[in-house]
Amino acid sequence: MKDQVETDAPDKEDTGSTDLIVLPEKTDLASYFHGTGGETEDQGIPQLMDMIEASLKGVTHDVSTAKGRKAAKSLARQVSSSKTVLEEVRKAITEEWRTKTNKVNAAGKIAVERLDALRDRIKGPAEEAEKQEAERVRQILLRMDAFDTNVLSAHDSSAELKAKIEQIEAIEVDSSFEEHEAEARVQKAAALDKYRSDLGIAEAREAQEAELEQLRREKAERDAKEAEEKAAKEREEQERAEKERREKEQREAAERAAKEAEEKAAREKAEAEERHRLQLAAAEARELEAVAAERQRIADEERAKAEAEAKRKADAEHRAKITAEIVAAITNLQPAGWEPLIDAMIDGKIPHVKVCL
C-alpha cells in the first residue's frame, strides 16, 4: 500500500504543486470497507478518514492571492476525487454482494418451495382425514341442535311448543349418532321434559288469557248496551226539548209577524203621504229647473257663438302672420329655383316649416 499522505511540515502554506492526498490502490481500498485495511490489517474507513484529515490539518492557503485561491481549489478537487474513488469501490463491492445475495435468495426460494411441496404432500392425507372427521362430527352436532332447550320458552305459544315437541319426537336417536349417541339420548329426553313443561305453562297461560278475553268481551258488550240505552234516552230528551223550542219559536214568530204587519201598515201609510208630498215638491222643482235650463241654454248658445267668432278671427290672424313670415324668409333668400328652396327648408331656414327625412 502506498503512503497515504505526502505533505510538508505543519502550518506550511500549500502551493498546489504536490498532491497532499494519496489513497491506496483500488484493489487495496476494498479491504478498508471490510475493516481489514492497512499494514496492520485492522483498519477501516473511519481510520482512513482520520489519516486523510490528519494529513491536511496543517495546510493553509493565502486566499488573498490568485495563487493561494488556485491552490485551495486544487486541494478541494483532490478531496472530491478521493470521494469519487471511494464511492466507485463501495458501489463495486455493493454490486458484488447484491449479485451473491440474489443467487443465495434464488437457491433458498427453490429449497423453500420444494420443501413446502414435500411437506404438503406428506401431511395432505392426514389433513383431509381430519376435515372429513370434523365434517362428520359437525353433521351429528347439527342434528343434535334440534335438542337445544333455548329455542323456545313458556312465553311462546302452545302451537309453537307442540310443533317443537313433534319435531324432537320425530328424531330417532340410534347408532348413526355414533360416539354421541348416549349424549343425544340425554339431550333429547331433557329437551322433551323441558318443552312439555313449557307447554303446560303456556296452555295454562293461554287458557287464563282466553278467560280474561271473554270477560273483557262481555264487559265491552255490557258497556256498549248501556251506552246505547243512555244515548237513546238522551236523544228522546233532545227531541222533546227541540219540539218545545220549535213551538215556542213558532208562537214568538206569529206574534212578531202580527206586530210587524201593524207596524208595516202604519209605515206604508206614512211613506205614501211622504211620497205624495215629495212628488208635488219634485214637480214644482222640475218646472223651476226647466225654466232655469232654458235660460242657461240660450246664454250658452250666445256665448258659444261669440267664442267661435273670436277663435275664427284669432286663427285668421295667426295664419296671416305665419304666412307673412314664410313669404318674408323666402323673399330674403331669393332662391334660384325649387331645389335651393327645398334645401333651405331642410336646413331649417324657413320658419314654421319642418322637413322629416
Side-chain angles (χ1 to χ4, degrees):
M1 182 181 68
K2 294 183 180 180
D3 292 335
Q4 286 184 293
V5 179
E6 294 180 1
T7 183
D8 296 328
D11 298 328
K12 182 177 181 180
E13 181 180 355
D14 175 31
T15 62
S17 60
T18 305
D19 289 339
L20 299 180
I21 302 175
V22 180
L23 294 175
E25 297 294 339
K26 282 189 176 182
T27 55
D28 297 329
L29 280 175
S31 61
Y32 283 87
F33 284 94
H34 296 291
T36 59
E39 295 179 357
T40 58
E41 296 184 353
D42 60 354
Q43 295 181 344
I45 292 298
Q47 288 75 25
L48 180 60
M49 294 301 101
D50 291 343
M51 288 186 288
I52 292 174
E53 291 170 353
S55 68
L56 302 179
K57 186 174 182 181
V59 177
T60 60
H61 301 92
D62 184 4
V63 296
S64 63
T65 65
K67 182 178 180 181
R69 290 193 294 273
K70 181 178 179 182
K73 292 180 180 179
S74 176
L75 182 58
R77 283 194 296 274
Q78 290 183 43
V79 174
S80 295
S81 298
S82 300
K83 182 194 72 173
T84 301
V85 171
L86 288 171
E87 277 295 286
E88 290 175 353
V89 173
R90 178 189 65 78
K91 291 179 180 179
I93 295 172
T94 302
E95 182 61 29
E96 180 183 358
W97 286 350
R98 183 179 294 109
T99 300
K100 291 180 179 180
T101 300
N102 290 340
K103 289 182 179 180
V104 172
N105 289 339
K109 182 180 179 182
I110 293 173
V112 169
E113 291 175 351
R114 294 184 65 172
L115 290 174
D116 284 346
L118 179 60
R119 177 202 61 201
D120 294 342
R121 190 165 59 250
I122 293 172
K123 74 176 182 178
E127 290 181 342
E128 182 62 26
E130 289 177 351
K131 289 181 181 179
Q132 292 177 358
E133 175 63 15
E135 179 62 19
R136 180 189 68 80
V137 173
R138 191 181 71 84
Q139 292 296 331
I140 293 175
L141 296 178
L142 282 177
R143 294 169 65 190
M144 293 174 64
D145 284 346
F147 305 146
D148 186 356
T149 58
N150 295 318
V151 176
L152 298 175
S153 69
H155 298 290
D156 295 299
S157 67
S158 60
E160 291 176 307
L161 289 166
K162 287 179 181 179
K164 184 63 176 175
I165 292 171
E166 291 175 358
Q167 176 195 9
I168 296 172
E169 289 176 341
I171 298 174
E172 182 178 356
V173 178
D174 52 18
S175 59
S176 62
F177 283 84
E178 300 186 24
E179 71 274 18
H180 296 281
E181 180 179 357
E183 181 183 0
R185 292 183 184 278
V186 172
Q187 289 188 11
K188 178 179 180 180
L192 287 174
D193 290 343
K194 192 265 185 184
Y195 286 127
R196 284 167 181 164
S197 174
D198 289 344
L199 176 60
I201 297 172
E203 288 177 339
R205 184 192 71 249
E206 291 174 355
Q208 184 179 11
E209 290 175 351
E211 182 179 357
L212 291 174
E213 181 61 26
Q214 178 64 24
L215 293 174
R216 283 194 293 267
R217 187 165 51 252
E218 292 175 356
K219 183 179 183 301
E221 292 174 354
R222 288 195 305 272
D223 293 343
K225 183 177 180 181
E226 292 174 358
E228 184 177 355
E229 292 175 352
K230 180 180 180 182
K233 184 177 180 180
E234 290 177 350
R235 283 196 300 272
E236 291 178 358
E237 293 177 354
Q238 290 176 355
E239 290 173 357
R240 182 172 61 257
E242 180 65 19
K243 181 180 178 182
E244 292 175 354
R245 184 186 62 78
R246 286 196 301 269
E247 291 175 351
K248 180 181 179 181
E249 289 178 351
Q250 289 173 358
R251 287 193 305 271
E252 292 176 349
E255 294 173 357
R256 285 195 303 271
K259 184 178 181 181
E260 289 173 357
E262 292 176 0
E263 293 175 349
K264 181 180 180 182
R267 187 169 58 253
E268 289 177 349
K269 180 180 179 181
E271 289 174 353
E273 292 175 353
E274 180 64 18
R275 280 196 301 273
H276 181 64
R277 185 186 66 77
L278 292 175
Q279 287 172 357
L280 291 176
E284 183 179 356
R286 284 194 298 272
E287 184 176 355
L288 293 175
E289 289 176 357
V291 172
E294 180 62 19
R295 290 175 181 171
Q296 183 65 39
R297 184 186 65 76
I298 294 170
D300 291 343
E301 287 180 354
E302 291 177 353
R303 185 174 61 255
K305 288 178 181 180
E307 291 176 352
E309 179 62 21
K311 186 176 184 299
R312 184 187 65 75
K313 289 180 180 181
D315 289 344
E317 292 174 357
H318 182 68
R319 289 174 66 86
K321 180 183 177 183
I322 296 299
T323 301
E325 292 176 355
I326 294 173
V327 170
I330 295 173
T331 302
N332 291 333
L333 289 174
Q334 295 182 353
W338 288 107
E339 291 183 358
L341 178 59
I342 293 171
D343 290 339
M345 291 179 180
I346 293 173
D347 294 338
K349 296 179 179 180
I350 307 301
H352 310 296
V353 175
K354 184 179 180 181
V355 177
C356 296
L357 299 179

